[in-house]
Amino acid sequence: TCASGYDLPDINCPDCGTPMNHDGQNIPFETFLGFNADKTPDIDLNFPSDYQATAHEYTKVLVGEHNVFRAGTIETVKDKTAFGFARGYIERLGIDPNTYPKAKIEYLASGCVDVRRTTGQHPGGIVVVPNDHKIYDFTPIQYPADDNTESWKTTHFEFESIHDTLLKLDMLGHDDPIALKMMCDLTGIPLHSIPLNDKKVLSLFSTSKALELQRDYLGNKTGAMGLPEFGTENTRRILETTIPKTFTDLVIISGLSHGTGVWAGNAEDLIKNGKTLSDVIGCRDDIMTYLMSKDIESSTAFNIMETVRKKDKYLNETQIDVMKAHGVPQFYIDSCNKIEYMFPKGHACAYCIMAVRVGYFKVYHPLEFYATFFTVRSEQFEIATMVAGEAAIIKRLDELKLKSRGKEKLSTKEDGIQKTLQIALEMYQRGIKFSNIDLYRSDSSKFVVDHENNAIIPPFRALDGLGENNAISVIEERKKGKFTSIDNLLTRTKLSSTNVGDLKSLHVLDDLPEDDQISLFDF
């Protein structure tokens, strides 16, 4: 199967152009369901967050309303919380806990650890019951928080306890579909027309040359910043070490970055010692297909793969002997035993397709890429710094870097601002700028593309403390006519005096008088 999903041997894929016998993705169906259909499949589906609930409801149509239930979760009491309970109990007895033996408090706390504290719902898990069974064959069910007005019932048992018995659909909300739709809408480019083998786009994962930066203050060795799944600092470091060239390389790296015990102390060391990406284990499917290429019987290869990918399980002596007998090198066997969790190749391919498509817009339609990034993926803004320009952004990033290196760590908000400003700086260094918030051109929540000025116009929500409803009120009122004064703006919209003060400080309202009173000096 190629990167676009076609199974057409010996010709080029009609979507991604990949020669089928060169860079296709070998994803045997057996890794999904087992050789004898005896494995519970792992089905993950990503939907735009605003469509997730609709997709959930459709499962009732697809498999029957009485066959689907939300997967329940159970939150238990953790060590620190249990210690707090025990300490509080000692206080209620009238004893000073500071003078009470700590060991006795810990002993009391141990009886509370792992006791159920509350129940909840998996964010996207839908449990599917076969037609010939009822949910009560597996678990009781309940309304979440005992609210019988809810449209979904939840499994009373935590899904982990029935994981290998019932099928679960993971139908999660995801930003990638939202981002891709926005970029396609802005450019008019059909999603499936985007090639997956464009050399400039693929080069983003190993060098930043395709971005044609006029300056490079951040010194990033790749152009992957801002690309989904590949833009994090950790994954960019993997890219710098591995220097991928093909889509297949990206699939392996996606497995390395999402697995546990797969990269650090494992594949990373192998690559630094001369191995290549094709030598190391990236995705779980690779184990089975590699072992089968060594003439290991298929079901044995499958069982070894399942042993490796499951946490806290190690290869047994029989499995190791089989691998050695078929010429599997020792470094490969050792690597298997270091792995705790492995990513399925199907998931990796889906993420890589997303990343390459987003990368296409980053290379060829940067205005739309950055407008979408700040709209969909950024939550924290320092709009005054962003509008002030490149020098102001560099100064602020230096301040944040200095703070992060000291004893005082960055707050969650500051960390978000830092990531936003890094992308903003890259944008400036490609020759694109931010315009100021515009009373008549800014959107309530989306960054607007301004091709004429090679700029992006921030929305009202980028202003700290200016909520969505307040921003929408400005959009609605400006349709009725221009604002004649600051007083008129306050009267007609839901903007607070604080919001107006912030807009003033950004010089957004410089052309508006304070009120509508006419002075002789106006004539």
Side-chain angles (χ1 to χ4, degrees):
T1 307
C2 75
S4 296
Y6 286 89
D7 188 10
L8 304 170
D10 302 325
I11 63 173
N12 288 358
C13 167
D15 278 358
C16 70
T18 302
M20 302 306 296
N21 57 357
H22 173 62
D23 197 27
Q25 306 307 315
N26 188 0
I27 310 176
F29 189 76
E30 288 78 7
T31 64
F32 176 71
L33 202 59
F35 279 91
N36 300 304
D38 53 358
K39 175 189 172 186
T40 304
D42 185 7
I43 302 176
D44 280 24
L45 300 166
N46 291 333
F47 296 92
S49 299
D50 56 357
Y51 187 79
Q52 184 186 15
T54 303
H56 284 178
E57 287 297 321
Y58 181 69
T59 61
K60 296 179 180 178
V61 177
L62 190 66
V63 298
E65 184 174 357
H66 300 293
N67 297 82
V68 287
F69 302 87
R70 290 294 296 270
T73 59
I74 297 175
E75 182 182 336
T76 59
V77 176
K78 306 304 179 187
D79 291 348
K80 290 184 177 179
T81 306
F83 187 85
F85 288 165
R87 184 182 172 89
Y89 170 71
I90 296 301
E91 285 181 339
R92 287 193 296 275
L93 291 177
I95 303 171
D96 183 355
N98 295 315
T99 62
Y100 198 77
K102 184 178 179 182
K104 288 188 176 182
I105 298 179
E106 291 175 343
Y107 173 75
L108 289 172
S110 67
C112 301
V113 173
D114 290 335
V115 172
R116 189 180 76 171
R117 187 176 186 185
T118 184
T119 59
Q121 286 184 341
H122 187 283
I126 305 291
V127 174
V128 181
V129 180
N131 279 327
D132 58 346
H133 284 79
K134 294 183 178 180
I135 186 64
Y136 302 111
D137 294 336
F138 309 96
T139 173
I141 53 176
Q142 63 196 36
Y143 284 107
D146 292 328
D147 183 357
N148 58 12
T149 63
E150 288 283 341
S151 59
W152 283 91
K153 292 180 181 178
T154 304
T155 64
H156 180 72
F157 294 153
E158 188 173 33
F159 179 72
E160 293 299 323
S161 64
I162 50 176
H163 184 277
D164 295 325
T165 307
L166 286 176
L167 171 69
K168 175 165 68 73
L169 305 176
D170 278 324
M171 305 175 66
L172 301 168
H174 210 278
D175 286 340
D176 288 353
I178 301 172
L180 281 168
K181 184 179 188 303
M182 181 174 174
M183 287 184 283
C184 289
D185 289 345
L186 288 172
T187 60
I189 295 174
L191 178 66
H192 294 288
S193 71
I194 299 171
L196 298 177
N197 63 343
D198 185 284
K199 290 183 179 180
K200 274 192 172 182
V201 175
L202 289 177
S203 75
L204 290 177
F205 300 91
S206 56
T207 174
S208 62
K209 289 181 181 178
L211 300 181
E212 299 178 353
L213 297 169
Q214 299 169 3
R215 293 163 299 282
D216 188 12
Y217 172 79
L218 293 174
N220 288 324
K221 294 180 182 179
T222 74
M225 191 166 66
L227 300 185
E229 308 299 332
F230 289 88
T232 64
E233 288 186 18
N234 181 54
T235 307
R236 296 205 315 266
R237 282 194 291 269
I238 297 177
L239 293 174
E240 292 169 10
T241 302
T242 55
I243 314 176
K245 296 290 191 297
T246 65
F247 186 91
T248 292
D249 289 344
L250 297 183
V251 173
I252 296 170
I253 291 169
S254 181
L256 295 173
S257 64
H258 285 90
T260 305
V262 182
W263 173 248
N266 196 343
E268 181 180 19
D269 296 340
L270 293 173
I271 288 175
K272 286 181 178 179
N273 288 319
K275 300 297 181 185
T276 65
L277 275 172
S278 60
D279 294 322
V280 303
I281 306 170
C283 301
R284 64 179 69 162
D285 314 52
D286 296 331
I287 296 175
M288 189 183 82
T289 55
Y290 171 71
L291 295 180
M292 288 174 65
S293 75
K294 289 287 190 178
D295 293 326
I296 294 178
E297 195 269 328
S298 58
S299 62
T300 302
F302 174 83
N303 289 331
I304 291 173
M305 175 193 71
E306 288 292 283
T307 299
V308 173
R309 77 172 185 87
K310 292 181 178 179
K311 198 171 184 179
D312 299 330
K313 287 193 175 182
Y314 299 94
L315 296 173
N316 59 46
E317 289 185 11
T318 302
Q319 291 171 327
I320 292 173
D321 289 343
V322 169
M323 294 169 77
K324 286 181 176 179
H326 287 79
V328 177
Q330 186 63 44
F331 83 83
Y332 194 94
I333 297 172
D334 294 339
S335 181
C336 285
N337 273 327
K338 293 177 181 178
I339 292 169
E340 295 181 22
Y341 165 78
M342 295 206 77
F343 209 47
K345 187 178 266 189
H347 295 190
C349 286
Y351 283 154
C352 290
I353 289 171
M354 289 281 195
V356 170
R357 284 173 173 164
V358 173
Y360 180 85
F361 289 102
K362 186 172 185 179
V363 172
Y364 296 108
H365 300 276
L367 277 166
E368 288 77 8
F369 167 79
Y370 290 111
T372 299
F373 181 90
F374 293 119
T375 298
V376 175
R377 303 189 190 278
S378 292
E379 295 181 358
Q380 302 295 341
F381 304 96
E382 269 191 10
I383 195 64
T385 303
M386 294 162 69
V387 170
E390 186 177 337
I393 293 174
I394 290 174
K395 180 181 177 183
R396 180 63 173 135
L397 282 173
D398 285 344
E399 292 172 356
L400 293 170
K401 186 189 297 183
L402 185 63
K403 181 177 179 180
S404 67
R405 289 176 176 174
K407 292 182 179 179
E408 187 180 358
K409 299 299 181 183
L410 296 182
S411 65
T412 301
K413 181 176 181 178
E414 288 173 325
D415 184 61
I417 289 171
Q418 184 181 52
K419 291 174 181 175
T420 298
L421 292 181
Q422 287 172 343
I423 295 290
L425 180 58
E426 180 187 80
M427 184 187 82
Y428 268 104
Q429 294 182 337
R430 294 183 71 185
I432 302 169
K433 64 181 181 180
F434 280 107
S435 295
N436 201 354
I437 291 175
D438 190 302
L439 202 56
Y440 297 102
R441 298 184 68 190
S442 287
D443 187 71
S444 60
S445 59
K446 295 180 179 178
F447 284 74
V448 175
V449 173
D450 181 3
H451 283 285
E452 186 177 347
N453 296 299
N454 199 35
I456 293 172
I457 304 171
F460 291 109
R461 79 167 176 93
L463 195 63
D464 200 20
L466 203 160
E468 181 78 8
N469 290 334
N470 296 23
I472 291 173
S473 72
V474 178
I475 307 297
E476 293 300 318
E477 284 300 317
R478 76 188 185 191
K479 293 176 184 177
K480 301 174 184 177
K482 288 195 171 185
F483 301 105
T484 56
S485 67
I486 292 174
D487 281 349
N488 179 251
L489 177 66
L490 276 167
T491 301
R492 290 169 55 188
T493 69
K494 296 180 180 179
L495 294 179
S496 67
S497 56
T498 301
N499 295 153
V500 170
D502 291 338
L503 290 170
K504 280 183 178 181
S505 66
L506 285 171
H507 303 287
V508 175
L509 308 180
D510 284 358
D511 293 335
L512 284 181
E514 285 291 335
D515 53 50
D516 291 318
Q517 291 184 357
I518 299 175
S519 167
L520 290 174
F521 296 103
D522 294 330
F523 293 95

